[in-house]
Amino acid sequence: MPLIEVLLLALESFRANKMRAGLTMLGMIIGVGAVVLLVSIGNGAKNYITHEFEGMGTNLLVVQPGRTDKKGGFGPPHMGSAKEKLTIGDVDALERQSFNLDAVTGIVFGAGTVKYEDRIVNISVLGANDRLTRIMNITIGQGTFFSADIEYGRRVAVLGFEVARRLFGDADPLGKLVKINDSEHRVIGVTQKSGQSLGLNLDDMAFIPTLSAMRIFNEDKLFGIRARAKAKVSVDDAVAEMTEILKARHHGEEDFSIVTQYSMLQTMNTILGMLTFVLGGIAMISMVVGGIGIMNIMLVSVTERTREIGIRRAVGARRKDVLRQFIVEAIALSLVGGMLGLLGSVFITYVVYWFVPRFDMRAPLWVMLPAFLLSMGTGVIFGVWPARKAARIETIDALRYE
Amino acid sequence: MALIEISKVTKTFTMGHEQIHALHEVSFEIKEGEFLSIIGPSGSGKSTLMNILGLLDSPTTGTFRLDGRDVSKLSDDERAHQRNQKIGFVFQTFNLLPRVSAVRNVEMPLVYSASYDRSFSKAKIREMAVRALTQVGLADRITHRPNELSGGQRQRVAIARAIVNQPKILFADEPTGNLDSRSGTEILSLFKELNTNGVTVILVTHDPKIASFAKRTIELFDGKISRDLYAAD
């Protein structure tokens, strides 16, 4: 019997049992839909992170005190021992000796209370030098950032857009004195509204010179060093050069680690890739449940249609014709269900994208193939047993079956 | 040459530890174009005989030659093929598919014929099915479903399905059992007409009145032939 004829038979039987076919397909719709949705979410997260990292420039280098075991690792460095200090001297050395770096700044970071008259905001305070704007892509909306000739310890501050708005409202903040952790700073600039970036909201921060921050936070060392490699320089060369310069200053010891944007991105992508895989795997459980639903219905259908099997066999159907009819029916059920699930979940991802364009979780094109193969495979795996049962029925018994 | 030739056919079923001989060394011949009835009380082995003659079952021992070919040891697939090409069945309960139209029911054997012969196109299959329905007088009921037809009409659809592939033999197992006497008589006349056109008809029944429509009657009792009579014309 030609395949097209078998397919028509399957459709005929669905039409006769619309409710049942629909409910059976629902299992597959949910199963495939869940797999596609979770994979899309994982994929969207990956795209989001990549995009954010790229927005910061892929030539960013981060020096952390302490040695992490793995090169390019993202783990916490063990901080604090006197030997492993990164100092402003290191920043100066990198600035002077390096050929590959464009901008270098030390970083001191802490929680700060900013006061103006009777208004108080609790924010993060970042100590850095004038190069920070280039390294972190900060744009100044009003006034200026620190100038190049700034003394590291001058008590000036650049406020994040949101901080300025909350402290001053519509008033002009430039030239005003604010108290940052009880130390007076003159506001020389306000950043442009920029929003969230990798969990760091520049609008909600205040920037002060490095030494000033060390004084406020009572620190004698830097939290880290941020640098930007020159545009045409390979990041690996820059890392090698920085390592040389810093080692020379640290008695030949590599008691720091340099993390590149690229290696961070890679680590992130590995984690997210794994996460996507795990999520997809969990969603596969629902596919199995959908498959069992199909098997269940097919078994019922075989029993119900024992007579039909008898008639078909009597007029000349071979066992393999019966087998094929029931397998095709199972595959058609799972495939139609699976494709509906695919369509539904793709639709959902586009709707989410439409409402939250920042998080692009639109289903990637390549999910179509696995979704198709998965639904078909489910049909085959869970359809074989009922179909074999159907094919094994003896014709004379089937014709007598009530 | 006889169309059907069986010799010393025995069929034994095992029920628990007991052996039941449904047929015991049955031998006879049927020539092409005969109108035969097989009669006997229930348990006499007539259904078993029909199953063997209709290639739905194989004999335990003995030989069965159909159309000159030994078919007693055919594989399951080959028996399906032979059934498709040479045999038509009509059952007491019509055995139509309830959800599809009359013509789709009649097309069913041809759809399987297409596995053996590629010339069975969709158009040809439809044409043959319509012709068979016309032959049984249902040309105007082609698209009706079985539940929209009377009992007699349903049995006609079943007959159309049985003859659509121009079989040599038509088996009818209690074909009038579920019909009123008028429809029953009509169906029997239809068999007579088909027989006149050359089809060998084998009627299986327990009712002597129905058996009397046939030209020859084989009576079974306890798995053996107790009588083999030709009606006087």
Side-chain angles (χ1 to χ4, degrees):
Chain A
M1 169 146 67
L3 192 61
I4 183 84
E5 197 67 31
V6 186
L7 263 173
L8 283 176
L9 271 181
L11 292 183
E12 245 163 33
S13 113
F14 297 160
R15 215 179 309 143
N17 274 307
K18 287 191 198 86
M19 181 76 164
R20 182 198 283 183
L23 284 173
T24 313
M25 279 180 202
L26 196 61
M28 287 306 292
I29 292 173
I30 292 171
V32 173
V35 172
V36 172
L37 267 184
L38 287 174
V39 167
S40 300
I41 288 172
N43 201 59
K46 220 158 137 178
N47 287 343
Y48 174 74
I49 299 271
T50 310
H51 181 79
E52 291 287 300
F53 268 79
E54 273 166 3
M56 287 163 62
T58 46
N59 48 358
L60 186 72
L61 298 150
V62 175
V63 186
Q64 293 170 325
R67 178 81 205 134
T68 50
D69 285 336
K70 210 174 124 224
K71 198 173 175 237
F74 207 39
H78 39 107
M79 292 164 131
S81 94
K83 209 170 84 182
E84 297 171 339
K85 269 191 238 175
L86 286 171
T87 63
I88 289 195
D90 292 328
V91 176
D92 287 339
L94 287 172
E95 184 89 68
R96 266 184 282 112
Q97 295 168 29
S98 158
F99 296 105
N100 292 328
L101 299 180
D102 207 18
V104 187
T105 181
I107 294 286
V108 179
F109 196 66
T113 310
V114 185
K115 241 189 271 183
Y116 177 70
E117 291 174 351
D118 57 346
R119 296 187 202 179
I120 300 174
V121 289
N122 288 304
I123 51 163
S124 304
V125 176
L126 182 68
N129 66 19
D130 57 293
R131 317 296 202 294
L132 188 73
T133 44
R134 275 193 265 163
I135 294 167
M136 288 186 76
N137 292 330
I138 299 171
T139 5
I140 296 300
Q142 221 184 333
T144 55
F145 200 70
F146 317 136
S147 53
D149 64 340
I150 200 163
E151 266 182 76
Y152 284 153
R154 260 204 6 227
R155 294 175 196 243
V156 291
V158 173
L159 301 181
F161 178 84
E162 198 58 31
V163 179
R165 204 186 54 79
R166 274 155 67 193
L167 284 177
F168 296 97
D170 292 332
D172 183 8
L174 293 184
K176 302 272 171 29
L177 281 174
V178 291
K179 277 189 171 173
I180 301 179
N181 289 8
D182 290 329
S183 162
E184 280 195 326
H185 286 71
R186 192 168 297 279
V187 179
I188 59 166
V190 176
T191 67
Q192 214 163 47
K193 193 169 169 55
S194 69
Q196 201 104 17
S197 158
L198 268 187
L200 209 65
N201 193 347
L202 296 177
D203 296 342
D204 260 338
M205 292 175 72
F207 307 93
I208 56 176
T210 325
L211 273 177
S212 199
M214 287 167 83
R215 198 158 50 215
I216 287 176
F217 296 126
N218 202 14
E219 283 283 356
D220 62 343
K221 58 182 189 296
L222 299 173
F223 275 39
I225 296 172
R226 296 286 142 93
R228 198 176 74 168
K230 283 180 182 159
K232 282 174 187 152
V233 163
S234 100
V235 175
D236 287 339
D237 287 350
V239 170
E241 191 192 43
M242 283 172 88
T243 310
E244 278 315 302
I245 296 169
L246 290 176
K247 254 167 102 174
R249 286 183 51 84
H250 290 228
H251 314 288
E253 250 185 279
E254 207 177 318
D255 55 359
F256 53 87
S257 36
I258 301 174
V259 181
T260 64
Q261 190 81 306
Y262 179 70
S263 69
M264 281 195 266
L265 184 60
Q266 263 190 331
T267 314
M268 271 320 243
N269 273 342
T270 312
I271 295 170
L272 284 170
M274 191 83 93
L275 204 68
T276 306
F277 198 69
V278 169
L279 285 177
I282 292 170
M284 292 273 279
I285 293 171
S286 56
M287 295 259 320
V288 172
V289 175
I292 291 171
I294 286 177
M295 182 155 74
N296 196 8
I297 286 303
M298 290 309 297
L299 283 172
V300 171
S301 172
V302 168
T303 311
E304 271 185 2
R305 285 152 71 189
T306 302
R307 269 258 171 163
E308 177 187 332
I309 294 166
I311 301 166
R312 288 185 183 281
R313 296 273 286 130
V315 302
R318 291 160 297 179
R319 287 189 197 276
K320 59 181 163 200
D321 292 318
V322 175
L323 184 83
R324 196 149 75 136
Q325 182 185 340
F326 281 90
I327 285 197
V328 166
E329 205 170 307
I331 292 177
L333 263 180
S334 66
L335 210 53
V336 173
M339 292 303 99
L340 287 177
L342 176 68
L343 276 181
S345 53
V346 168
F347 178 74
I348 290 172
T349 62
Y350 273 78
V351 168
V352 171
Y353 173 70
W354 195 72
F355 281 110
V356 195
R358 277 170 61 82
F359 188 61
D360 182 3
M361 62 169 276
R362 284 177 295 177
L365 204 64
W366 57 260
V367 298
M368 306 248 260
L369 187 69
F372 180 84
L373 292 178
L374 267 179
S375 356
M376 186 144 150
T378 308
V380 173
I381 291 168
F382 293 96
V384 161
W385 190 48
R388 281 174 62 117
K389 209 181 139 181
R392 284 213 195 102
I393 295 175
E394 292 295 337
T395 316
I396 34 178
D397 300 334
L399 283 171
R400 244 185 262 134
Y401 187 84
E402 292 297 331
Chain B
M1 187 184 63
L3 177 62
I4 286 174
E5 195 184 337
I6 63 169
S7 70
K8 294 192 170 175
V9 161
T10 298
K11 183 74 186 178
T12 313
F13 295 105
T14 311
M15 289 260 219
H17 292 292
E18 241 182 308
Q19 298 255 308
I20 295 168
H21 300 282
L23 288 177
H24 190 70
E25 300 205 336
V26 175
S27 308
F28 62 87
E29 284 183 6
I30 300 170
K31 291 190 190 63
E32 198 154 357
E34 277 198 66
F35 191 165
L36 176 98
S37 66
I38 297 172
I39 191 169
S42 65
S44 60
K46 60 184 193 302
S47 294
T48 308
L49 182 60
M50 189 197 89
N51 288 340
I52 289 173
L53 295 178
L55 290 175
L56 294 168
D57 206 353
S58 333
T60 311
T61 60
T63 57
F64 171 17
R65 298 175 78 81
L66 174 66
D67 222 0
R69 183 177 173 205
D70 186 1
V71 291
S72 40
K73 302 255 164 353
L74 286 186
S75 74
D76 200 77
D77 278 4
E78 283 168 321
R79 276 193 278 133
H81 187 183
Q82 294 293 317
R83 284 199 297 272
N84 182 256
Q85 309 282 316
K86 292 186 181 156
I87 296 169
F89 290 99
V90 176
F91 304 96
Q92 178 175 2
T93 52
F94 321 135
N95 276 345
L96 299 173
L97 296 190
R99 293 184 201 105
V100 299
S101 63
V103 72
R104 290 281 291 156
N105 266 292
V106 176
E107 280 175 354
M108 199 207 288
L110 302 177
V111 167
Y112 293 104
S113 306
S115 312
Y116 310 111
D117 184 348
R118 287 180 176 273
S119 74
F120 280 82
S121 64
K122 253 188 121 62
K124 183 181 171 186
I125 287 174
R126 178 55 53 102
E127 192 197 313
M128 287 172 77
V130 170
R131 202 189 305 144
L133 278 166
T134 312
Q135 210 180 333
V136 299
L138 288 178
D140 55 342
R141 294 283 188 278
I142 283 170
T143 54
H144 287 58
R145 290 185 181 192
N147 60 8
E148 297 161 340
L149 299 171
S150 71
Q153 288 171 329
R154 286 183 209 183
Q155 196 59 300
R156 282 165 188 274
V157 175
I159 293 171
R161 181 180 65 195
I163 61 168
V164 70
N165 210 9
Q166 279 135 16
K168 295 209 156 177
I169 312 164
L170 184 61
F171 284 94
D173 187 3
E174 304 280 8
T176 58
N178 280 16
L179 299 176
D180 59 75
S181 64
R182 221 190 94 211
S183 319
T185 315
E186 275 171 26
I187 293 296
L188 288 171
S189 328
L190 186 54
F191 284 133
K192 243 179 186 163
E193 193 187 317
L194 291 168
N195 178 245
T196 328
N197 294 339
V199 183
T200 307
V201 179
I202 300 176
L203 209 58
V204 180
T205 181
H206 69 279
D207 185 347
K209 268 207 318 240
I210 290 160
S212 68
F213 270 79
K215 293 176 196 154
R216 177 187 172 191
T217 304
I218 290 178
E219 194 177 314
L220 282 181
F221 190 78
D222 252 0
K224 286 176 196 153
I225 294 180
S226 55
R227 263 199 294 187
D228 189 347
L229 287 176
Y230 286 84
D233 279 303

